[in-house]
Structures are given as C-alpha cells and as structure tokens.
Amino acid sequence: MRRLINSRDNLPDEGALEGFPTLALEGDLPSASLDAIGSLRPFGRDITEQRVAAVPASGPASPGELVRAAALAASGRRLDAIALLRQVIAADPKATEARISLANLHGTAGDWDLAIDQLSEALARGAAKAPTLVLRGAFHAQANQADAAERDFREAVQQDPSYWPAYRYLGVTRLRQGAGREAIRILRDARSMAPQDPECALFLGEALLAQGELDEGHQVLSAALDLDPRDPRAYLLLGRLLDRLGRTDEAMVMHRKAHDGTTE
C-alpha cells in the first residue's frame, strides 16, 4: 500500500526536526529494520553528562582534574581534555566519573565504540547502573546498534524502576520499531514520572498520533508546547494531527511555526 504523506508538511525532517522521520498518515508500518532508521541518532545528544551527574566516582580522582578537563573541552581543546582524562584513568582505573566524562567526549565526536567501551568499563567498576546504562544505550542508538540500545534501556528500567529517562528512550525505541501500543504504555509511564519533561510529552504525542488517537494526542502535544514553546518538532507533529482532524487553517499555522522556528 502506498503511504499518503501530507504535502502541506514540506519540512526536511532529518535535518530540521532532529529525529522525526516522515510520518505515514495511512499505509503499512515501516518495513525497515530499526538499525536502518536514522531517527534513532539524536538520542545520545539528548542525554548530556549532566544527566548522569549522580553517578558516583569509585576512585579518588581529583574534582579539579575533571573541572579542568571540562574547561579544556569547552575551549575547543578536546584532544587535550581526552589526554588529561586518560591520565586520570591510568592513575586510577576505578575513576568512573572520569570514564563517563571521557565517554561523552568520544561520543560527541562520533567515536561511538570508544564511548561505549568506557561506559562498559565504568559499569563493571561500580558506576550507577541505570544512568550509565541509559547513556550507553544512547550511544548504541547513535551508532545504529538498535538491539543493544534497547537492551540497555530495558536493563536500566529493571535496575531502577524510578529512573524515568530509561522509560522515555525505551518508549521511543519501541515506537521506531513500529510497536506503537507498547510505546504508548511505556511513554505514559515516563510522563507520569516526569510531567515537567517536554520530550516525554512530545514522544507520547507522536506515538498517539501514529496510532490514530488524535484527541489525546492533541492534548499531549499541546502540553509539550506549553513546556517548551521553542521546539519545532512539537509544532510539526501538532500540524500533522490538525491536518488529520480537518482543521487545515490551524494546521497551516503550526507548520509555519515549525518551519520558521518561532512562536509568534
């Protein structure tokens, strides 16, 4: 069956909207394997080092060295920051906080395997399980290793059922796999645990739209916009939903705002 794409939505999703592939309004579920879907790639960018700030350091690495490494990276001296963190780890292999910082530097440069190796070692040496698993799952997703990403997210949920980022990314993973009903259930859990997080609402709204639950989807996407009125993805999805409801004038406004990146 041919997919029917609304021509009003003329935005290049992969570039402008960071991870939302063209949403089929009718037709078959995507047949591509998850590993082939580029929309998984932004996950890791959404999980910063600050998200795993609660990860305890198992060794006596000096906080000053970590601050210095962060300052080097922020000033554009990434290789110097990496060299400093490697020195810290060589002196104390149990310095899990340094390993996590090093993993982030590798990950932001696209060196996914090196990032994953550091996080695996940090897990083996006692880093907080759920946050580190979510971070590693994000890097697996960026590397298009979707099965490994899903395993990490599921294990994070098991390790700490209260750690809501694990639910958010697991829900998105299942949505990208075409398991919309399961994704809705998981993302509802995420949103109930983190009602202040705009992306929990955003991804739940996308899942509801994909399953044709338009009334609830409208409510959830509107809530996502209230939480973050600058996110063009929410305007795009709300525009698609309004198109499906036949509210074309309102849809045009949403698509324009998504394109312009403005709330005016």
Side-chain angles (χ1 to χ4, degrees), residues 52 96 99-104 112-125 127 131-140:
V52 291
T96 56
R99 289 188 182 278
I100 291 166
S101 296
L102 181 57
N104 274 285
W112 314 125
D113 290 341
L114 294 175
I116 290 165
D117 288 346
Q118 288 297 332
L119 292 173
S120 297
E121 188 65 27
L123 285 164
R125 293 182 179 275
T132 310
L133 283 165
V134 167
L135 186 59
R136 189 176 71 176
F139 289 138
H140 276 304

Side-chain angles (χ1 to χ4, degrees), residues 14 32 35-36 39 59 115 120 173 186 197 206 221 225 230 246 253:
E14 287 293 327
D35 281 339
S39 54
S120 297
T173 300
I186 296 168
D197 182 70
E206 184 192 5
L221 289 172
L225 280 176
R230 299 169 299 175
V253 173

